[in-house]
Amino acid sequence: QVQLVESGGGAVQAGGSLRLSCAASRYPVNNYCMGWFRQAPGNEREGVAVISPRGSSTRYADSVKGRFTISRDNTKNTLYLQMSSLKPEDTAMYYCAAQRAPCAVVLAGTYFRYWGQGTQVTVSS
């Protein structure tokens, strides 16, 4: 099965930027929808952004529109999340997820079968 490993998390001040990466292994992911999800302590998991297998379609949570950009490089088997203008409320564990095609670009975590272990993002005010 596909294995996913996130990296790039860390601590940043409000207004700063981070780029998360998700490296996939064992299988090429060029026929998988992929996405980023996050979960803060005491909160439910939230869909952040999702992208279609070829990158032609994306979907974002309203809370991150205009600030976050999801992208992928299928030649590197890697998914990215560029986060800018970070806010304290963006603090969470961020998870990468994948679902094999045929797939839909949806922000529902229950739709995705494969998950990484997560990378922590902490934004201080």
Side-chain angles (χ1 to χ4, degrees):
Q1 64 182 30
V2 172
Q3 288 192 335
L4 305 172
V5 179
E6 302 94 336
S7 62
V12 64
Q13 289 191 329
S17 299
L18 282 174
R19 188 175 83 154
L20 305 183
S21 298
C22 172
S25 60
R26 292 200 172 184
Y27 293 98
V29 291
N30 58 358
N31 62 340
Y32 287 70
C33 288
M34 299 189 75
W36 290 98
F37 295 79
R38 66 186 182 186
Q39 187 168 20
N43 290 359
E44 293 186 354
R45 183 175 58 195
E46 173 191 18
V48 176
V50 177
I51 190 167
S52 59
R54 302 296 176 90
S56 58
S57 179
T58 59
R59 187 180 297 272
Y60 294 91
D62 288 343
S63 59
V64 305
K65 281 181 182 177
R67 300 189 299 121
F68 291 10
T69 301
I70 189 171
S71 63
R72 63 193 299 164
D73 186 341
N74 287 339
T75 65
K76 297 181 179 179
N77 235 27
T78 302
L79 176 73
Y80 302 101
L81 184 68
Q82 179 66 48
M83 304 185 295
S84 303
S85 302
L86 282 161
K87 305 175 181 180
E89 50 264 44
D90 294 318
T91 295
M93 184 72 78
Y94 282 71
Y95 298 91
C96 169
Q99 176 62 39
R100 188 170 181 173
C103 56
V105 181
V106 294
L107 290 171
T110 53
Y111 182 78
F112 289 81
R113 179 175 181 180
Y114 304 104
W115 291 83
Q117 295 299 307
T119 185
Q120 178 68 38
V121 173
T122 303
V123 184
S124 59
S125 57

